Amino acid sequence: MNIITLLTDFGLNDAYVGIMKGVILSINPYVQIIDISHSVTPQDITQSAYLISSAYKYFPQNTIHIVVVDPGVGSQRQIIAAKINGHIFICSNNGILSLIMDKNDVEIEEIICIDNDEYFLKPVSKTFHGRDIFAPIAAHLSKGIPLKKIGTAFNQDKVVKLNIAKPFISTKNELIGQVVHIDHFGNLITNIDSETLRKFNKIPSMFKILINSNEINGIFDTYTDVEIGQPIALIGSSGFLEISVNSGKGSDYFNVKNGVNIKIQTKTKKEDECLL
Amino acid sequence: MNIITLLTDFGLNDAYVGIMKGVILSINPYVQIIDISHSVTPQDITQSAYLISSAYKYFPQNTIHIVVVDPGVGSQRQIIAAKINGHIFICSNNGILSLIMDKNDVEIEEIICIDNDEYFLKPVSKTFHGRDIFAPIAAHLSKGIPLKKIGTAFNQDKVVKLNIAKPFISTKNELIGQVVHIDHFGNLITNIDSETLRKFNKIPSMFKILINSNEINGIFDTYTDVEIGQPIALIGSSGFLEISVNSGKGSDYFNVKNGVNIKIQTKTKKEDECLL
Amino acid sequence: MNIITLLTDFGLNDAYVGIMKGVILSINPYVQIIDISHSVTPQDITQSAYLISSAYKYFPQNTIHIVVVDPGVGSQRQIIAAKINGHIFICSNNGILSLIMDKNDVEIEEIICIDNDEYFLKPVSKTFHGRDIFAPIAAHLSKGIPLKKIGTAFNQDKVVKLNIAKPFISTKNELIGQVVHIDHFGNLITNIDSETLRKFNKIPSMFKILINSNEINGIFDTYTDVEIGQPIALIGSSGFLEISVNSGKGSDYFNVKNGVNIKIQTKTKKEDECLL
């Protein structure tokens, strides 16, 4: 059975998501449709790039992932279908694939600019390409139509990349990163991956983490390694440094928003101190 | 594979929607269940009439659409099953089908008052007919039981119609309409369809649209036809006039709520003006 | 076709729920996944115990129910799989099954402590066992692997029970209960079931219900038995006493929160009064 996933900024109050599913099932009633989320902040491409890159790899090979976060709908922006790492992505060419294509070991198999209107739902509206283009193209692909039939080969250098902040080491030898996502639990997920941390310093207990004039000492394994209500730094489930509060909300505790900087320093061992 | 859609005002915090799906799958485990929305404002029949009429036609023929927005649950109100335009609708007889039945080309094939309790879940509660009547009836229909088995033939004149505002032309020759839905993006969707507009005036650039003491000139194709943050009028994806703001919220910009009036005037061409 | 249900406190803004579905479908693409809710208040075990106990029995026998409300994730808490009343539950051993196991007629068939990591997703994170343990275990069970293969037999006396309030009769011969859930409509669902009420007094019209210094007389059948905007007491769809307002919100009307006490008195028949 084929799988199509949906990631949009449509919310759940309107019928838009249901309509896209209706279009898909009208073409292929045997496909399984799975929601990643429909609560992307309207028009937030960076957030959707983060969400799809963290989710897609847990689905079976050949899953088709539709992402509709598309402030340019109806304008001259391109819609692309990309086969990457064995998965197919359908999205506007606006940077959504940045974090997926950014990896060293990425395998970009094929990119198509979708311009064959034979598979579109007619008449094509100017404001709801999710319904008229993304959904029917995904449904036809799920039935086995090859990618090259839906449009024109597209050079991967033309795929738009977001200018997403990367962690760096400052002149004071501090590792500077950024909060890139705040989840439902208020966990602050940063752009610092475990590999970058390891290169910066090999001993987790030696880290001092500074965020909005607060200080956290050491990196631990799991929320319950500190008391309830206490802050903690750990490597989260997606492999990035995360600032949390045991049974609380890091976002409230530190009073921070997406995009805030975090600094990591290495503690100097004092004479009378015995660090692990 | 058969499809059942769900549109309710149950929200997503309780188990009510999951329970209905459990009842359906206990009777027909092979059916595919699709959510239209569960965030209808509690007891808002007009909103659910709008949502189901905009969504149903994108599903395959013979899809069964359950709508549970039912302030009269447990009272003497009727529950009906209606085959219209090749789709089956199950809802209370409270006006939910108004916008679907209101079309000139509607094909009403069969209407049944559901009163055969053989297919109900027993004991039937007085407060959750979604679980005890709507869900099991839909599941049995999806297995191929004919409509006439679930109840008594019902005259279509007895189907309740909502008194929904329609656009009209005022004595000052203005086209007067109403905002009937504000979507997740803050787009103001009106009751003025493109056909009505065309009859009123053939030249889109000649329109002046008045809303809450603001003025918009002309009707355009797509959000990006104006600068970011600027208001725009366009024909939306469901074929109705829509007032939006490019990458913003029309509802905030104009500070309006559902039901507000909008006026459309025809601009008088001045001597020194060259309109498209 | 096998069914897996999901009940979590993950919310719908992140990709966590989608990721769990991806893991399940990677192992068993033929399973049907149904959401109970993902809006449990973060870490609220009592609420999730209430929701799963009210929902599970409407699903077919052998449905697998995953509940991830897990403040202790990554610590030494156990994860269990329990076959009860023909259904399989996968959850942390933190009290989630309390209301299901609490019934007089419960049939506990088998309980396993999940400790065979052969079926886990590797590497197992310390913070997302929903993805790495719950989801793959459920998927493997849905393919027919017997429970005993996933871990060690577990004594049912070791299953954690919540200390959940039960109704009692006070020295003044009042029945004292508690609001245990406030649903999307603002209905106040109590812990007083119809059986307990019947034992307290056989005549529904003889009840006087006291809540936050308000008084409701009698127990009725359905919301519309009182005028719009008026409060009413009735036996709700899950068999418990419920305080509601016809077409309104009981939670606003009475200005109460979860956990508030309610008192039920028996009215004394006065000489000049004729009660039903």
Side-chain angles (χ1 to χ4, degrees):
Chain A
M1 187 186 280
N2 270 311
I3 297 165
I4 293 175
T5 78
L6 297 179
L7 174 65
T8 78
D9 59 359
F10 290 170
L12 294 171
N13 291 0
D14 300 300
Y16 300 140
V17 173
I19 287 171
M20 284 185 64
K21 293 180 182 176
V23 170
I24 290 168
L25 294 170
S26 296
I27 295 165
N28 183 0
Y30 298 102
V31 80
Q32 173 125 230
I33 306 172
I34 301 291
D35 300 305
I36 304 283
S37 177
H38 300 289
S39 306
V40 170
T41 305
Q43 286 110 21
D44 191 332
I45 295 165
T46 309
Q47 197 186 355
S48 52
Y50 171 78
L51 290 171
I52 192 63
S53 76
S54 72
Y56 85 93
K57 49 185 173 279
Y58 294 100
F59 284 83
Q61 290 278 303
N62 291 310
T63 294
I64 298 165
H65 305 277
I66 300 179
V67 186
V68 195
V69 178
D70 192 16
V73 61
S75 68
Q76 288 306 309
R77 65 88 179 82
Q78 295 137 329
I79 305 174
I80 56 176
K83 183 148 195 196
I84 303 177
N85 297 339
H87 292 253
I88 295 169
F89 301 90
I90 300 176
C91 59
S92 297
N93 184 17
N94 59 13
I96 281 168
L97 300 179
S98 298
L99 289 167
I100 294 171
M101 296 179 68
D102 203 27
K103 304 275 182 208
N104 292 328
D105 58 350
V106 66
E107 258 195 72
I108 299 167
E109 299 168 56
E110 195 172 357
I111 300 178
I112 298 285
C113 179
I114 301 173
D115 57 7
N116 179 0
D117 68 8
E118 185 186 334
Y119 298 106
F120 295 178
L121 190 69
K122 311 279 169 44
V124 175
S125 71
K126 293 278 193 178
T127 56
F128 195 3
H129 286 179
R131 176 190 71 192
D132 304 330
I133 302 180
F134 294 71
I137 287 289
H140 283 291
L141 290 175
S142 75
K143 287 173 81 175
I145 285 168
L147 272 173
K148 61 174 177 288
K149 282 231 173 180
I150 60 167
T152 312
F154 193 72
N155 190 311
Q156 71 172 80
D157 298 339
K158 291 206 222 150
V159 176
V160 172
K161 301 273 168 51
L162 297 174
N163 193 358
I164 288 178
K166 295 202 175 184
F168 63 93
I169 292 172
S170 75
T171 50
K172 293 179 189 164
N173 199 33
E174 296 166 327
L175 180 60
I176 312 286
Q178 223 177 61
V179 172
V180 293
H181 184 65
I182 299 178
D183 77 7
H184 177 67
F185 297 97
N187 297 323
L188 312 172
I189 297 156
T190 73
N191 60 351
I192 302 174
D193 64 14
S194 50
E195 184 59 26
T196 302
L197 265 179
R198 239 189 320 264
K199 280 185 193 158
F200 181 59
N201 192 307
K202 288 208 170 64
I203 310 168
S205 64
M206 291 294 283
F207 289 124
K208 188 162 81 181
I209 295 149
L210 300 164
I211 175 166
N212 207 9
S213 73
N214 292 273
E215 196 178 310
I216 302 174
N217 285 295
I219 293 180
F220 290 85
D221 274 344
T222 190
Y223 308 125
T224 54
D225 285 341
V226 295
E227 298 294 310
I228 284 183
Q230 289 307 302
I232 183 170
L234 44 70
I235 301 299
S237 61
S238 54
F240 289 90
L241 182 74
E242 209 174 294
I243 314 288
S244 305
V245 166
N246 183 9
S247 299
K249 287 204 159 214
S251 48
D252 291 351
Y253 187 97
F254 295 108
N255 191 24
V256 296
K257 290 196 176 158
N258 231 340
V260 78
N261 273 355
I262 77 156
K263 266 188 221 176
I264 302 183
Q265 300 172 340
T266 307
K267 285 204 276 188
T268 317
K269 195 171 164 173
K270 288 181 207 144
E271 270 187 24
D272 60 344
E273 203 177 11
C274 175
L275 293 165
L276 178 67
Chain B
M1 186 186 283
N2 271 311
I3 296 164
I4 293 176
T5 79
L6 297 179
L7 174 64
T8 77
D9 58 358
F10 290 171
L12 294 171
N13 292 1
D14 300 302
Y16 300 139
V17 174
I19 287 171
M20 284 185 63
K21 294 180 181 176
V23 171
I24 291 169
L25 294 170
S26 295
I27 294 164
N28 184 359
Y30 298 101
V31 79
Q32 173 124 229
I33 307 171
I34 300 291
D35 301 304
I36 304 284
S37 176
H38 300 290
S39 306
V40 170
T41 306
Q43 286 112 21
D44 191 331
I45 295 165
T46 310
Q47 196 186 355
S48 53
Y50 171 79
L51 289 171
I52 191 64
S53 76
S54 73
Y56 84 92
K57 51 184 171 278
Y58 294 100
F59 284 83
Q61 290 278 303
N62 291 310
T63 295
I64 298 165
H65 305 276
I66 300 179
V67 186
V68 194
V69 178
D70 192 15
V73 62
S75 69
Q76 287 306 310
R77 64 87 180 82
Q78 295 136 329
I79 305 175
I80 56 176
K83 184 149 194 195
I84 303 177
N85 297 336
H87 292 253
I88 295 170
F89 301 89
I90 299 176
C91 59
S92 297
N93 185 17
N94 60 12
I96 281 168
L97 300 179
S98 297
L99 290 166
I100 294 171
M101 295 178 68
D102 203 26
K103 304 276 182 208
N104 292 328
D105 58 350
V106 67
E107 258 194 72
I108 299 167
E109 299 166 57
E110 195 173 357
I111 300 179
I112 298 286
C113 179
I114 300 173
D115 57 7
N116 179 0
D117 68 6
E118 185 186 334
Y119 299 107
F120 295 179
L121 190 71
K122 310 282 172 38
V124 175
S125 71
K126 292 279 192 175
T127 56
F128 194 2
H129 286 178
R131 177 190 70 192
D132 302 331
I133 302 179
F134 293 72
I137 288 289
H140 283 292
L141 290 175
S142 76
K143 287 173 82 174
I145 285 168
L147 271 173
K148 61 172 175 287
K149 284 231 172 181
I150 60 167
T152 312
F154 193 70
N155 191 310
Q156 72 172 79
D157 298 337
K158 292 206 222 150
V159 176
V160 173
K161 301 273 166 52
L162 296 174
N163 193 359
I164 289 178
K166 295 202 176 184
F168 63 95
I169 292 171
S170 75
T171 51
K172 294 180 186 164
N173 200 34
E174 296 166 327
L175 180 60
I176 312 287
Q178 222 176 62
V179 172
V180 292
H181 183 66
I182 299 178
D183 77 7
H184 175 68
F185 298 98
N187 297 322
L188 312 172
I189 298 155
T190 74
N191 60 350
I192 302 172
D193 64 14
S194 51
E195 184 57 25
T196 303
L197 265 179
R198 238 188 321 265
K199 279 184 193 158
F200 181 60
N201 192 307
K202 289 210 167 62
I203 310 168
S205 65
M206 291 294 283
F207 289 124
K208 189 162 81 180
I209 295 147
L210 300 164
I211 175 166
N212 206 8
S213 74
N214 293 272
E215 195 178 309
I216 303 174
N217 284 295
I219 293 179
F220 290 84
D221 276 345
T222 190
Y223 308 125
T224 55
D225 285 343
V226 296
E227 298 292 311
I228 284 183
Q230 288 307 303
I232 184 169
L234 44 72
I235 302 298
S237 60
S238 53
F240 290 90
L241 183 74
E242 206 175 295
I243 316 288
S244 305
V245 167
N246 184 10
S247 299
K249 288 203 158 211
S251 47
D252 291 350
Y253 187 97
F254 295 108
N255 192 24
V256 296
K257 291 198 175 157
N258 233 339
V260 78
N261 272 354
I262 77 156
K263 268 188 220 174
I264 303 184
Q265 301 174 340
T266 308
K267 283 203 280 189
T268 318
K269 197 171 163 175
K270 290 183 204 140
E271 271 188 20
D272 60 343
E273 204 178 10
C274 174
L275 294 165
L276 180 64
Chain C
M1 186 185 281
N2 271 310
I3 297 165
I4 293 175
T5 79
L6 296 179
L7 174 64
T8 77
D9 59 358
F10 290 171
L12 294 171
N13 292 0
D14 300 301
Y16 301 139
V17 174
I19 287 171
M20 283 184 64
K21 293 180 181 175
V23 170
I24 291 168
L25 294 169
S26 295
I27 295 164
N28 184 359
Y30 298 102
V31 80
Q32 174 124 229
I33 306 171
I34 300 291
D35 300 304
I36 304 283
S37 176
H38 299 290
S39 305
V40 171
T41 306
Q43 285 111 22
D44 191 332
I45 294 164
T46 309
Q47 196 185 355
S48 52
Y50 171 78
L51 289 171
I52 192 63
S53 76
S54 72
Y56 86 92
K57 51 184 169 278
Y58 295 100
F59 285 83
Q61 289 278 305
N62 291 311
T63 296
I64 298 164
H65 305 277
I66 300 178
V67 185
V68 195
V69 178
D70 192 16
V73 60
S75 68
Q76 287 306 310
R77 66 85 180 84
Q78 294 136 329
I79 305 175
I80 56 177
K83 185 151 195 194
I84 304 176
N85 297 337
H87 292 254
I88 294 169
F89 301 90
I90 300 175
C91 60
S92 297
N93 184 18
N94 59 14
I96 282 169
L97 301 179
S98 298
L99 289 167
I100 294 172
M101 296 179 67
D102 204 24
K103 304 275 183 210
N104 292 327
D105 58 350
V106 66
E107 259 195 71
I108 299 168
E109 301 167 56
E110 194 173 357
I111 300 179
I112 298 286
C113 179
I114 302 174
D115 57 7
N116 179 0
D117 68 6
E118 187 187 334
Y119 298 107
F120 295 178
L121 191 70
K122 312 280 170 42
V124 175
S125 72
K126 293 278 193 177
T127 56
F128 194 2
H129 287 178
R131 176 190 71 193
D132 304 330
I133 301 178
F134 293 71
I137 287 289
H140 283 292
L141 291 175
S142 75
K143 288 174 81 175
I145 284 168
L147 271 172
K148 62 173 176 285
K149 282 232 174 178
I150 60 167
T152 312
F154 193 71
N155 191 310
Q156 71 173 77
D157 298 339
K158 291 205 220 152
V159 177
V160 173
K161 300 272 168 51
L162 296 174
N163 193 358
I164 290 177
K166 296 201 173 184
F168 63 95
I169 292 173
S170 74
T171 50
K172 294 179 189 166
N173 200 33
E174 297 166 328
L175 180 60
I176 312 286
Q178 220 177 62
V179 172
V180 292
H181 183 66
I182 299 178
D183 77 5
H184 176 68
F185 298 97
N187 297 322
L188 312 172
I189 298 155
T190 73
N191 60 351
I192 302 173
D193 64 15
S194 50
E195 184 57 25
T196 303
L197 265 178
R198 238 188 319 266
K199 280 185 195 158
F200 181 59
N201 191 309
K202 287 210 168 62
I203 309 167
S205 64
M206 290 293 283
F207 289 125
K208 190 163 79 179
I209 295 148
L210 300 164
I211 174 166
N212 207 8
S213 72
N214 291 273
E215 195 179 309
I216 302 174
N217 284 296
I219 293 179
F220 290 85
D221 274 346
T222 190
Y223 308 125
T224 55
D225 286 341
V226 296
E227 297 293 311
I228 285 183
Q230 289 307 302
I232 183 170
L234 43 71
I235 301 299
S237 60
S238 53
F240 290 90
L241 182 75
E242 207 175 293
I243 315 288
S244 304
V245 167
N246 184 9
S247 299
K249 288 204 157 209
S251 47
D252 291 351
Y253 188 97
F254 295 107
N255 191 27
V256 296
K257 292 197 174 158
N258 232 339
V260 80
N261 272 355
I262 77 157
K263 268 188 223 174
I264 303 183
Q265 301 172 341
T266 307
K267 284 203 279 190
T268 317
K269 199 173 162 174
K270 289 184 206 140
E271 272 186 22
D272 59 342
E273 205 179 10
C274 175
L275 294 164
L276 180 66

